[in-house]
Amino acid sequence: MKTVVIYNSQTGFTKRYAKWIAEESKADCFELNEAKKKNFDGYDAIIFGGWACAGGVSKLSWFKERIDEWKDKKLIAFCVGGSPADSPHVEPLLKKIFTAGEAQRVSAFYCPGGFNYDKMSASSRLMMKMYAKMLKAKKNKTEDDEAMIKMIQRMTRQ
């Protein structure tokens, strides 16, 4: 089965997963900007990876716009985020990113990554600070909320 992995990575975690997946599956691997210039007719399976952010997945719209075009291919999407894989936020995210029809065509997975604050864009850093502020103000914080607050505070102090 001829496979391609296409990814969008801001800080390197998604790229790392994309390279691992490509290596293990003997697939071609392209960063999204390069992939936009390619034709995927010769592939049997297309894997897309992006980073999870604010309840969505970066550049997933590019992949979703092509689902109907790729009806004869096996489709897989993964996202990489800073939350642990067992976080209660993961399953709702995976259910939300695709419509019911799309979810019948695409297998979706979450991969725990991390935060590389130094490589984040200014807007992403600002969003993380706002998210931490929102979590701090939340009444009845969960253990996951407390852990996320601590992780973001450690990042922003470095």
Side-chain angles (χ1 to χ4, degrees), residues 98-143:
F98 291 109
T99 65
E102 292 167 342
Q104 290 179 346
R105 295 269 350 272
V106 181
S107 299
F109 300 93
Y110 176 83
C111 304
F115 295 101
N116 187 334
Y117 202 69
D118 292 335
K119 289 186 177 180
M120 285 182 184
S121 66
S123 60
S124 292
R125 288 193 305 267
L126 177 62
M127 190 168 32
M128 290 303 297
K129 286 182 182 182
M130 290 171 42
Y131 180 59
K133 188 174 184 176
M134 179 197 74
L135 285 176
K136 286 180 190 177
K138 182 179 174 184
K139 292 180 169 74
N140 303 321
K141 293 177 194 65
T142 65
E143 286 182 33

Side-chain angles (χ1 to χ4, degrees), residues 4-7 30 32 35-49 59-77 98 102 104-106:
V4 63
V5 179
I6 302 161
Y7 68 92
F30 303 107
L32 180 59
K36 287 179 179 180
K37 303 169 192 166
K38 304 281 183 187
N39 179 315
F40 299 103
D41 290 345
Y43 291 96
D44 304 304
I46 299 173
I47 302 170
F48 177 83
K59 307 298 183 185
L60 184 65
S61 60
W62 177 87
F63 179 79
K64 290 176 68 159
E65 289 168 3
R66 287 153 182 80
I67 289 174
D68 289 339
E69 176 185 327
W70 294 333
K71 59 182 155 264
D72 61 331
K73 302 181 185 313
K74 180 164 184 59
L75 301 177
I76 300 170
F98 291 109
E102 292 167 342
Q104 290 179 346
R105 295 269 350 272
V106 181

Side-chain angles (χ1 to χ4, degrees), residues 83-111:
S83 297
D86 61 356
S87 168
H89 305 293
V90 170
E91 189 175 333
L93 168 69
L94 292 177
K95 287 183 178 180
K96 175 184 151 187
I97 59 175
F98 291 109
T99 65
E102 292 167 342
Q104 290 179 346
R105 295 269 350 272
V106 181
S107 299
F109 300 93
Y110 176 83
C111 304

Side-chain angles (χ1 to χ4, degrees), residues 5 16-27 47 78 111:
V5 179
R16 187 177 308 153
Y17 273 106
K19 297 288 185 181
W20 286 338
I21 293 166
E23 185 177 314
E24 288 298 315
S25 62
K26 297 182 180 17
I47 302 170
F78 70 93
C111 304

Side-chain angles (χ1 to χ4, degrees), residues 140-154:
N140 303 321
K141 293 177 194 65
T142 65
E143 286 182 33
D144 283 344
D145 294 336
E146 294 289 355
M148 186 63 76
I149 291 167
K150 287 178 185 174
M151 186 166 43
I152 293 169
Q153 286 176 330
R154 275 196 307 272

